[in-house]
Amino acid sequence: MHRPSVRQLQLRQSLAVWRSYHDESFGFRKPRAFTLPDYCPTQLQNRVENAPLLRYVDSLRMHGHRAARIDPLDLLQRDDVDALDPKRYGLVDGSKTYDVNGILWTKRVGEAPDNAEHWTLRDITNHLRTIYVGRIAYEYMHSPSKTERLWFSHMLEARTPPLPDARQKKRVHELLAQSETFDQFLQLKFPNLKRYGLEGGESMIPALDALFSVAARAGVQHIILAMPHRGRLNLLAGLLQMSPTSLFHKIKGGYEIPEELGAVGDVISHLVASPTLTYDGADVKVSLLPNPSHLEAVSPVALGKTRAKQYSLLNTSPEDCMLGDKAMCVQLHGDASFTGQGVVMETLGLSNLPHFTSGGSVHIVVNIGYTTPASSARSSLYCSDIGKMINAPVLHVNGDYPEDVARAIDVAFQYRHHFRKDVIIDLLVYRRWGHNELDEPAFTQPLMYEKIRSRKSVPALYEERLISDDVITSAHAQAVRDAARSRLDVELAQADTYTPTATTMLQGQWKGIVWPADKKAERNPATGVAREVLEGVGRASVMVPSGFEIHPRLQRHVKHRLQTIEKGTGLDWATAEAMAFGSLMLEGCDVRISGQDVGRGTFSQRHAMLVDQKTESVVVPLNAELGSQGKLELANSSLSELAVLGFEYGLSWEKPNMLPIWEAQFGDFFNGAQVIIDTFISSAETKWLKQSGIVLLLPHGLDGAGPEHSSSRLERMLQLTDDRFEPIGERHINVNMHVAFPTTPAQYFHVLRRQIKRNFRKPLIVAAPKGLLRLPAASSSLSDLEGSCTFQPVLRDPLVEARIAERVVLVSGKLYYDLVKERDARGLGQRVALVRIEELCPFPFEELREVLGGATAGEVFWVQEEPRNQGAWPHVALRVGHILEKPVVYHGRHGGAVPAPGVGKLYRAQQEVVIKGAFEGLGS
């Protein structure tokens, strides 16, 4: 027998320790391990002796979905599946008996008795075809986990599922009838409304009802729900208990939020509700999230919010409360968007990562058939095939049969409950109308819509079955519809006098947070920290445990930090950041920073986690040494921008007392997440009254690195702001997000702490440094971080007052230090004032006017290294002009198609022109 070497054993042990940080990180607990017993010797022997039968049974499990009756329109192109023919395996006598022990699972999950059990081939075929070639089709044999495959086989084959009782059937009928009545009511009263109705897909409602019910009874307390527009109004006004009056008020052109808050609202297909539903005495709160029209962009946001919800529950729950026990993410999708939107793949890729998992999501694809036929819309057999990248099981179910839909939901939830992994339900339905009710789908799909318009609706078909089975009477069925219609009539009559409220806006963890435009908003709170705290945090941040061997090059990092703390000067960027994090943690605030390589930092500057060079064990010194209530989570993320930023944004919606940071490797790389910035970060407050304290660190600055490693696209961020153009009104205004370009570690320290010390939350975009991270000139002192010090939107020149200088150069970012160097070389220290604008939005009109001293005697330049059509110039030009009585002279690169050249020689020549040109005409 081969024995592992001592080195192999050490490597295995070190890898286990390395994983321990990530797999047992703050906010994560490993799910309970669920295993099934392996085959016993008798079963293994029987599988060998009856190998043809084993191959046949496994083929039914693997290929049965290809012949299942899952399409309500029967339009799927289904070829004969030869693999399902027992004759292909030499099995020809239907009356012949076989021992199915270890081949067919006739006992419940967890029961695996070792005894012979004989079935005829005919009985085996009938039993398995009923399960795998019916109205539910299962795909689970692709899973690499033997336990998961066995679990499904046990769950599906061991028993005939119990039929719903009369009460359950009446519940399903009521939901379907109310759903159909609602859509018909809207069509009658608002015939020109694009309502994205649920006709044809009504089974979505009892599907969600069944999911909420089984989850509540299993102890789930919170469900975070994300969905696109299809059927949203139907779900809101029905199962989610939103007031139809408020909905009708919105349809008629009214506000869904109080007008005095100054928000603009959103379209009806993005409305929300958060009811607490009760099932058999068990409560579950369902929170439907607002979403943009980018159909799947809300999916990672929901995942992040669920994760943050779980943080809070884990902090207050017993140790045996595992991730996913109390909070669950449910994501609804359209078939076309599930296949076509890349964010789906990115979000699925996060689902099992320890820093991102929320304990398994339930995905329901409302498969309505897209306007583009499947042959042109995807390259896979099913829209759900994307889920196989994470080996997620898929349950396809025919939406014409609501009871089968409920069965599929139950199996899916039980899987998620056992394994804490994602599961997909492909709910095959159809769309009675076009993409919206004003479309004519027969233009492009005439045969499909000829079939749709000739068939009865799903609610009508189910109603007929129940009447035929004497579960309900025709009179009862009509009474349900009449009651639903009467209620809608009453609600519609009240719509014109409806007044919206925002009573649920700042409750729960958001209690104590105020609306940003409120007079109580503290916009510039004290952010300084006592020196002894700063020193303690700084030392703790590089504390190396005894016997822990760090990389030799990090010895210098540790030594330098301790020396600067001892001197109280020369603090670099990473040290100030660690002090900001640690001081917030001591005040009870959690800090989370995610992105690629954030533990060490893209530029090897952070080193917030240390790795033992012999064992690869990991320590986060701030967590290990501070003993603080707040924790630091360093989430080295997958190579994703869109989903990861959406995830972090979702966290920020749930936990206002967390500092959530997403750091791009280079500022340019945020553009892969532009949808999140456009539709959530910059606009959620004014659309949905949703505050967020998310911080984006976007390394920025031209340094010869070429077009895609230079720019955080400041111009885009600033263009997205609703900053005022002139200095009118109050000194402080409520802008949608803040954009800062700090040039010192102290400024960075204060702007981070300000995010939490304010009594409101606001997104913060930081044009973060690259070359300044270790630049001695760009260092700070402890005195800059303590006492009454705060973030300064404008930094005056320390050598000369702007009002008496011959020339004032306004600048942001690292270029300042290049200009200082050139000015010193020319001996112009008393003639040129270099004024730094550190916060570009909200634009610091008052602070800049104060520094300039009321229109200077000399010229005023704006100097930047970015091309003229980029950077801050498009934002500052008009605004600075409102402060001065003279024009502001632009100096910098000409307009360009890219942020920076990729040729080093050209970059250096352009940069020299920018720097020297700031002092042209002044001599030397």
Side-chain angles (χ1 to χ4, degrees):
M1 179 178 178
H2 173 71
R3 294 180 178 272
S5 66
V6 173
R7 176 58 184 158
Q8 287 174 321
L9 290 173
Q10 290 176 336
L11 181 59
R12 290 178 188 175
Q13 182 181 15
S14 68
L15 289 175
V17 175
W18 163 253
R19 292 286 302 173
S20 68
Y21 165 70
H22 299 285
D23 289 352
E24 298 172 5
S25 60
F26 167 61
F28 178 76
R29 296 178 189 172
K30 288 183 179 179
R32 298 178 188 87
F34 178 82
T35 58
L36 286 171
D38 200 356
Y39 304 105
C40 67
T42 304
Q43 291 172 331
L44 288 173
Q45 181 62 32
N46 189 48
R47 288 165 67 87
V48 172
E49 294 176 357
N50 287 299
L53 178 65
L54 174 62
R55 290 178 60 213
Y56 173 54
V57 170
D58 274 349
S59 287
L60 278 162
R61 292 168 178 153
M62 181 172 291
H63 301 293
H65 65 90
R66 294 165 54 197
R69 302 185 302 278
I70 56 176
D71 180 11
L73 300 180
D74 197 26
L75 293 175
L76 285 178
Q77 297 298 318
R78 293 279 171 163
D79 299 326
D80 291 337
V81 184
D82 294 336
L84 304 182
D85 184 355
K87 294 185 179 65
R88 293 181 68 86
Y89 311 95
L91 307 172
V92 295
D93 186 355
S95 62
K96 183 177 180 179
T97 61
Y98 296 87
D99 183 2
V100 297
N101 186 27
I103 297 176
L104 186 70
W105 300 105
T106 62
K107 303 298 180 184
R108 294 177 181 273
V109 174
E111 300 176 8
D114 177 22
N115 59 297
E117 186 174 354
H118 292 85
W119 288 42
T120 67
L121 175 62
R122 185 175 296 108
D123 289 340
I124 293 171
T125 296
N126 291 339
H127 181 62
L128 293 180
R129 288 189 71 89
T130 299
I131 295 167
Y132 295 112
V133 197
R135 294 189 292 259
I136 308 176
Y138 301 93
E139 291 189 272
Y140 64 87
M141 291 294 284
H142 57 274
S143 171
S145 167
K146 181 192 66 178
T147 291
E148 292 182 27
R149 296 194 305 271
L150 284 175
W151 180 89
F152 265 105
S153 298
H154 277 281
M155 169 66 74
L156 301 176
E157 299 167 16
R159 62 188 174 93
T160 301
L163 295 175
D165 58 27
R167 180 182 66 88
Q168 293 168 321
K169 292 181 178 181
K170 289 179 180 178
R171 169 70 173 173
V172 172
H173 168 262
E174 182 180 78
L175 292 171
L176 290 174
Q178 291 173 348
S179 171
E180 186 171 47
T181 301
F182 175 81
D183 272 323
Q184 290 173 346
F185 184 87
L186 285 188
Q187 184 63 33
L188 178 66
K189 301 296 183 180
F190 305 100
N192 296 318
L193 174 68
K194 294 181 181 180
R195 54 187 167 84
Y196 305 103
L198 198 55
E199 295 106 317
E202 292 94 343
S203 286
M204 184 191 85
I205 302 297
L208 288 172
D209 187 58
L211 180 58
F212 298 162
S213 175
V214 68
R217 288 183 277 113
V220 175
Q221 298 173 354
H222 299 271
I223 290 177
I224 308 302
L225 178 61
M227 71 176 296
H229 49 267
R230 177 65 54 192
R232 190 183 187 99
L233 303 186
N234 204 306
L235 177 64
L236 282 167
L239 194 57
L240 297 190
Q241 302 176 357
M242 179 182 179
S243 162
T245 298
S246 64
L247 177 60
F248 297 146
H249 175 78
K250 173 67 176 176
I251 292 173
K252 288 187 166 192
Y255 279 80
E256 72 271 28
I257 49 183
E259 293 184 47
E260 63 270 16
L261 292 175
V264 301
D266 203 353
V267 297
I268 60 169
S269 53
H270 300 164
L271 298 178
V272 299
S274 298
T276 297
L277 307 179
T278 302
Y279 294 92
D280 297 328
D283 291 343
V284 59
K285 183 171 183 180
V286 181
S287 299
L288 174 61
L289 299 189
N291 64 287
S293 293
H294 287 74
L295 297 181
E296 298 292 346
V298 72
S299 295
V301 177
L303 195 65
K305 183 173 171 64
T306 307
R307 167 80 173 206
K309 176 72 72 176
Q310 193 68 46
Y311 277 155
S312 304
L313 294 172
L314 292 178
N315 287 339
T316 59
S317 301
E319 285 300 314
D320 63 351
C321 176
M322 300 299 172
L323 199 63
D325 281 5
K326 303 294 183 183
M328 181 172 73
C329 183
V330 177
Q331 300 174 36
L332 271 66
H333 313 270
D335 51 302
S337 61
F338 198 61
T339 297
Q341 298 293 307
V343 66
V344 174
M345 183 278 291
E346 292 188 28
T347 305
L348 289 171
L350 299 179
S351 61
N352 295 325
L353 301 180
H355 289 280
F356 295 89
T357 181
S358 65
S361 297
V362 176
H363 302 266
I364 301 178
V365 181
V366 183
N367 195 335
I368 56 175
Y370 191 49
T371 304
T372 301
S375 59
S376 298
R378 60 175 182 263
S379 298
S380 57
L381 177 61
Y382 298 117
C383 64
S384 55
D385 285 345
I386 186 69
K388 292 178 182 177
M389 65 171 277
I390 59 168
N391 302 305
V394 181
L395 288 71
H396 309 273
V397 59
N398 190 325
D400 262 5
Y401 299 89
E403 293 173 18
D404 291 286
V405 172
R407 165 66 175 160
I409 288 286
D410 183 69
V411 173
F413 177 80
Q414 297 302 333
Y415 170 83
R416 184 263 179 195
H417 195 59
H418 277 84
F419 298 103
R420 294 295 191 266
K421 293 182 179 179
D422 287 30
V423 60
I424 299 169
I425 298 165
D426 181 17
L427 178 60
L428 283 93
V429 292
Y430 60 90
R431 191 169 50 190
R432 183 162 289 277
W433 312 110
H435 176 62
N436 60 66
E437 291 67 27
L438 307 184
D439 274 349
E440 176 46 75
F443 288 156
T444 53
Q445 295 168 307
L447 298 182
M448 175 187 289
Y449 276 87
E450 180 182 2
K451 195 160 192 173
I452 289 173
R453 286 164 181 167
S454 66
R455 74 195 315 270
K456 292 183 178 180
S457 68
V458 173
L461 290 171
Y462 188 67
E463 192 173 278
E464 287 181 356
R465 289 178 210 144
L466 296 193
I467 293 173
S468 175
D469 294 340
D470 293 327
V471 176
I472 62 174
T473 64
S474 297
H476 172 83
Q478 189 60 45
V480 170
R481 294 174 181 272
D482 289 344
R485 172 62 187 265
S486 296
R487 176 179 176 244
L488 294 174
D489 280 328
V490 172
E491 298 276 356
L492 179 59
Q494 299 171 353
D496 291 335
T497 58
Y498 173 78
T499 301
T501 62
T503 56
T504 61
M505 186 171 58
L506 297 170
Q507 295 182 353
Q509 296 189 79
W510 286 84
K511 189 175 182 180
I513 301 295
V514 305
W515 184 241
D518 195 285
K519 293 181 179 179
K520 297 178 182 178
E522 299 173 4
R523 295 177 173 83
N524 195 29
T527 51
V529 176
R531 179 174 288 245
E532 58 270 22
V533 173
L534 295 170
E535 292 174 340
V537 169
R539 295 189 184 100
S541 68
V542 287
M543 187 68 68
V544 181
S546 177
F548 194 97
E549 186 172 328
I550 62 175
H551 193 282
R553 288 169 60 182
L554 288 186
Q555 297 286 356
R556 180 180 178 185
H557 167 79
V558 173
K559 182 178 179 181
H560 174 74
R561 181 166 297 182
L562 293 176
Q563 287 177 340
T564 57
I565 292 170
E566 183 68 26
K567 293 189 301 182
T569 59
L571 305 179
D572 61 18
W573 218 272
T575 301
E577 179 185 75
M579 289 177 173
F581 291 172
S583 60
L584 288 172
M585 291 162 62
L586 289 172
E587 294 167 8
C589 171
D590 295 325
V591 179
R592 174 181 162 104
I593 179 168
S594 77
Q596 293 116 39
D597 297 323
V598 294
R600 66 172 176 87
T602 293
F603 308 101
S604 292
Q605 84 283 4
R606 181 170 290 122
H607 299 297
M609 63 164 61
L610 303 176
V611 180
D612 190 289
Q613 296 301 294
K614 289 188 175 180
T615 67
E616 285 195 352
S617 61
V618 176
V619 64
V620 178
L622 285 178
N623 286 336
E625 300 296 329
L626 280 186
S628 59
Q629 180 182 349
K631 300 297 181 183
L632 170 62
E633 183 171 19
L634 299 163
N636 288 330
S637 76
S638 66
L639 196 64
S640 159
E641 284 88 37
L642 176 52
V644 169
L645 180 55
F647 185 97
E648 303 306 323
Y649 185 75
L651 286 171
S652 74
W653 270 3
E654 178 64 27
K655 283 185 68 67
N657 199 38
M658 169 187 280
L659 180 63
I661 301 173
W662 178 69
E663 181 177 61
Q665 279 194 316
F666 291 89
D668 313 63
F669 294 178
F670 82 85
N671 52 21
Q674 188 75 55
V675 170
I676 300 297
I677 296 169
D678 288 352
T679 61
F680 285 98
I681 294 175
S682 69
S683 57
E685 182 184 304
T686 192
K687 289 191 298 189
W688 309 319
L689 306 183
K690 300 289 285 187
Q691 295 186 55
S692 167
I694 186 78
V695 177
L696 273 61
L697 300 182
L698 308 178
H700 175 92
L702 276 62
D703 52 12
E708 275 84 49
H709 295 79
S710 298
S711 173
S712 65
R713 295 291 190 175
L714 274 170
E715 66 280 357
R716 292 187 192 169
M717 296 299 182
L718 292 168
Q719 187 181 38
L720 286 173
T721 68
D722 59 354
D723 201 3
R724 57 183 173 169
F725 283 90
E726 52 192 13
I728 57 175
E730 297 182 8
R731 178 179 178 86
H732 297 289
I733 64 167
N734 179 36
V735 298
N736 59 334
M737 59 185 187
H738 287 219
V739 181
F741 202 171
T743 56
T744 71
Q747 288 280 80
Y748 178 54
F749 170 90
H750 289 296
V751 82
L752 287 181
R753 283 185 50 82
R754 188 180 71 176
Q755 283 294 98
I756 294 296
K757 301 305 289 183
R758 284 171 165 169
N759 60 353
F760 62 94
R761 295 292 175 261
K762 188 70 63 173
L764 172 65
I765 312 299
V766 178
K770 295 184 293 180
L772 300 189
L773 292 170
R774 299 178 180 86
L775 184 69
S779 62
S780 297
S781 302
L782 282 176
S783 59
D784 299 325
L785 278 57
E786 62 179 334
S788 59
C789 294
T790 60
F791 177 77
Q792 300 299 311
V794 178
L795 291 180
R796 63 177 69 243
D797 193 310
L799 297 182
V800 59
E801 287 290 333
R803 60 184 178 81
I804 62 172
E806 289 183 43
R807 178 175 296 170
V808 175
V809 173
L810 303 178
V811 64
S812 285
K814 78 173 184 67
L815 186 62
Y816 165 77
Y817 293 98
D818 295 324
L819 295 175
V820 167
K821 186 176 180 181
E822 180 69 17
R823 182 181 67 176
D824 291 347
R826 291 173 177 252
L828 298 174
Q830 297 300 314
R831 299 173 61 189
V832 178
L834 302 176
V835 176
R836 285 169 278 176
I837 300 181
E838 302 273 292
E839 186 167 49
L840 293 160
C841 178
F843 192 76
F845 287 103
E846 290 76 14
E847 293 86 348
L848 183 58
R849 178 185 285 114
E850 182 179 342
V851 169
L852 294 180
T856 64
E859 303 171 290
V860 179
F861 277 21
W862 171 265
V863 180
Q864 66 177 35
E865 58 183 359
E866 301 86 1
R868 182 171 186 148
N869 58 313
Q870 300 171 35
W873 172 245
H875 184 79
V876 303
L878 180 62
R879 290 170 173 85
V880 173
H882 278 297
I883 297 176
L884 304 171
E885 296 178 356
K886 61 181 70 178
V888 182
V889 179
Y890 169 83
H891 186 81
R893 285 172 168 81
H894 299 298
V898 296
V903 177
K905 181 179 180 180
L906 178 59
Y907 160 74
R908 289 188 293 273
Q910 290 180 350
Q911 194 76 349
E912 183 177 4
V913 170
V914 171
I915 295 170
K916 294 184 179 301
F919 305 97
E920 284 181 356
L922 295 175
S924 58

